[in-house]
């Protein structure tokens, strides 16, 4: 059974940093592109970043590029999201998600974690 | 960026009804369209990929159709477990984008 368990969500001040983690199990972790998606009541679901199975290729939308960094530790089946220069509008539930295949071109999300809440507020 | 527009935003229906949700893409996405179901406080669940392929374990009352820029999700006979929010999402290219969601509520 695929399991994705996020952690690291917290209350942080604007301009601050936070690192999210996602522990994966139930599948061959290094054979799948992994993805972060966030959700807010106002903006709905927003793709945040993707990383290929080997960790060689990444992709980001303009809204987070240069502030967020996705990475992975395949030896520990763990995905990370380093978030810097956080803004009020980054407040959201962050979901870790698995794609259906290995390369950065694999963009179908077939499993989601339960999410972790990030609140950016002074 | 490709914009995904769902309609309606809210749909009121009864158990046993047939309902259809529409998703329109701002440009051609071929068949690279997924549908997700999300229940309150839970993560989304993949129902359909490539516009029409049902995921394993998804009841056959769900079906998807369409290609290019217009897609539909149909539930043939609503069951109590189906009342949830439904999202479409294109995966034609980056950036991935989602529709704003359709909340399916009990009439």
């Amino acid at each position: 059974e695929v399991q994705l368990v996020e952690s690291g969500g917290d209350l942080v001040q604007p301009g601050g940093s936070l690192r999210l983690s996602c522990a994966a199990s139930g599948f061959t972790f290094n054979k799948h592109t992994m993805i972060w998606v966030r959700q807010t009541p106002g903006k709905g679901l927003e793709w945040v970043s993707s990383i290929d199975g080997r960790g060689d290729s990444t992709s980001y939308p303009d809204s987070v590029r240069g502030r967020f960094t996705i990475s992975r530790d395949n030896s520990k089946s763990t995905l990370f999201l380093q978030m810097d220069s956080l803004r009020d509008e980054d407040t959201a539930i962050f979901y870790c998600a698995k794609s259906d295949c290995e390369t950065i071109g694999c963009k179908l999300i077939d499993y989601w974690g339960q999410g972790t809440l990030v609140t950016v507020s002074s | 960026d490709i914009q995904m527009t769902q309609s309606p935003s809210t749909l009121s229906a009864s158990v046993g009804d047939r309902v259809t949700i529409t998703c329109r893409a701002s440009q051609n996405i071929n068949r690279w369209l997924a549908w997700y179901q999300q229940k309150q406080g839970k993560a989304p669940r993949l129902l359909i990929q490539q516009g029409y392929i049902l995921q394993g374990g998804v009841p056959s009352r769900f079906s998807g159709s369409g290609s290019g820029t217009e897609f539909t999700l149909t539930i043939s006979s609503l069951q109590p477990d189906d009342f949830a929010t439904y999202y479409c999402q294109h995966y034609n290219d980056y950036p991935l984008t989602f529709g704003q969601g359709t909340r399916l509520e009990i009439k």
Side-chain angles (χ1 to χ4, degrees), chain B residues 68-95:
Chain B
T69 62
E70 187 153 338
F71 300 83
T72 59
L73 172 69
T74 298
I75 309 172
S76 60
S77 178
L78 274 173
Q79 298 302 302
D81 190 50
D82 301 336
F83 292 95
T85 300
Y86 293 84
Y87 294 94
C88 64
Q89 179 231 324
H90 88 81
Y91 53 107
N92 183 68
D93 201 352
Y94 291 114

Side-chain angles (χ1 to χ4, degrees), chain A residues 27-99:
Chain A
F27 63 101
T28 305
F29 185 68
N30 63 3
K31 293 298 185 185
H32 293 270
T33 285
M34 296 297 292
I35 299 165
W36 288 100
V37 177
R38 64 186 178 184
Q39 185 171 32
T40 62
K43 293 185 69 176
L45 290 163
E46 182 186 12
W47 166 69
V48 172
S49 60
S50 297
I51 186 168
D52 74 336
R54 297 174 63 174
D56 293 337
S57 297
T58 59
S59 186
Y60 305 90
D62 290 345
S63 58
V64 308
R65 187 178 295 115
R67 300 189 300 121
F68 290 9
T69 303
I70 190 172
S71 62
R72 63 194 296 160
D73 183 342
N74 285 345
S75 69
K76 296 181 179 179
S77 296
T78 303
L79 177 72
F80 303 101
L81 184 68
Q82 176 67 39
M83 301 186 293
D84 299 319
S85 303
L86 282 161
R87 306 166 180 166
D88 291 352
E89 56 265 33
D90 294 318
T91 295
I93 296 172
F94 281 74
Y95 292 101
C96 165
K98 167 189 168 293
S99 79

Side-chain angles (χ1 to χ4, degrees), chain A residues 37 39 45-47 50 59 95 104 106-110 112-114, chain B residues 34 36 38 42-44 46 49 87 89 91-96 98:
Chain A
V37 177
Q39 185 171 32
L45 290 163
E46 182 186 12
W47 166 69
S50 297
S59 186
Y95 292 101
I104 198 64
C106 298
K107 300 180 286 292
L108 173 67
I109 297 172
D110 58 3
W112 302 62
Q114 290 303 304
Chain B
Y36 300 92
Q38 186 177 34
K42 300 293 187 183
L46 176 63
Q49 62 165 293
Y87 294 94
Q89 179 231 324
Y91 53 107
N92 183 68
D93 201 352
Y94 291 114
L96 310 178
F98 295 82

Side-chain angles (χ1 to χ4, degrees), chain A residues 13-32:
Chain A
Q13 292 189 338
S17 297
L18 204 60
R19 190 194 200 202
L20 305 183
S21 300
C22 171
S25 61
F27 63 101
T28 305
F29 185 68
N30 63 3
K31 293 298 185 185
H32 293 270

Side-chain angles (χ1 to χ4, degrees), chain B residues 2 9 15 29 34-35 39 87:
Chain B
I2 298 172
S9 296
V15 172
I29 59 169
W35 288 100
K39 296 183 179 179
Y87 294 94

